[in-house]
């Protein structure tokens, strides 16, 4: 399991604030995947890791699938009822607050 509050869930879907231990660790940088094409090169430069660009894989995971675009996520959320949207927000509330997301901008 991930956390008693969240029960037994697949870690992939767990709120990032739970599995990153943001309250226990000093986090200096956060890269949002929807902005990784700009943020990842910046971070690699900031950390003087520009010679290690092979470590960075833009928007594709190892299976070759890409991340959903913001528009695709927005269309999915619009299919949910208001109650389902609220439940989704409540589940990920910690992430919204920690990482500066706005529920009305999804």
């Amino acid at each position: 399991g991930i956390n008693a509050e969240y029960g037994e869930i697949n870690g992939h879907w767990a709120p990032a604030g739970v599995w990153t231990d943001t309250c226990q660790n000093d986090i200096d940088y956060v890269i949002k995947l929807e902005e990784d094409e700009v943020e990842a090169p910046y971070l690699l430069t900031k950390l003087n890791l520009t010679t290690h660009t092979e470590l960075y894989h833009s928007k594709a995971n190892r299976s070759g699938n890409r991340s959903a675009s913001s528009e695709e996520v927005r269309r999915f959320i619009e299919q949910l009822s208001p109650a389902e949207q609220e439940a989704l927000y409540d589940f990920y509330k910690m992430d919204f607050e920690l990482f500066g997301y706005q529920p009305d901008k999804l």
Side-chain angles (χ1 to χ4, degrees):
I2 287 290
N3 177 305
E5 181 180 351
Y6 294 96
E8 291 291 324
I9 61 171
N10 178 317
H12 180 82
W13 296 108
V18 172
W19 55 263
T20 57
D21 289 328
T22 54
C23 295
Q24 302 295 322
N25 297 298
D26 186 19
I27 307 279
D28 293 321
Y29 302 98
V30 172
I31 292 178
K32 295 179 179 179
L33 291 177
E34 66 275 14
E35 299 170 9
D36 70 341
E37 290 179 9
V38 173
E39 293 185 356
Y42 169 81
L43 180 59
L44 291 172
T45 300
K46 185 87 171 157
L47 298 175
N48 199 28
L49 295 172
T50 54
T51 59
H52 301 286
T53 55
E54 74 277 0
L55 299 174
Y56 170 70
H57 304 284
S58 176
K59 295 222 183 222
N61 64 29
R62 290 185 185 123
S63 70
N65 295 326
R66 64 175 177 72
S67 299
S69 70
S70 295
E71 183 57 33
E72 289 169 319
V73 171
R74 189 173 294 111
R75 282 195 310 258
F76 169 75
I77 291 173
E78 287 172 353
Q79 295 176 38
L80 301 175
S81 71
E84 291 169 327
Q85 290 181 27
E86 185 174 342
L88 184 65
Y89 170 76
D90 288 344
F91 186 79
Y92 289 105
K93 184 176 181 178
M94 180 189 322
D95 287 352
F96 279 94
E97 293 173 356
L98 286 171
F99 304 118
Y101 287 104
Q102 301 296 319
D104 60 327
K105 298 199 178 189
L106 290 179

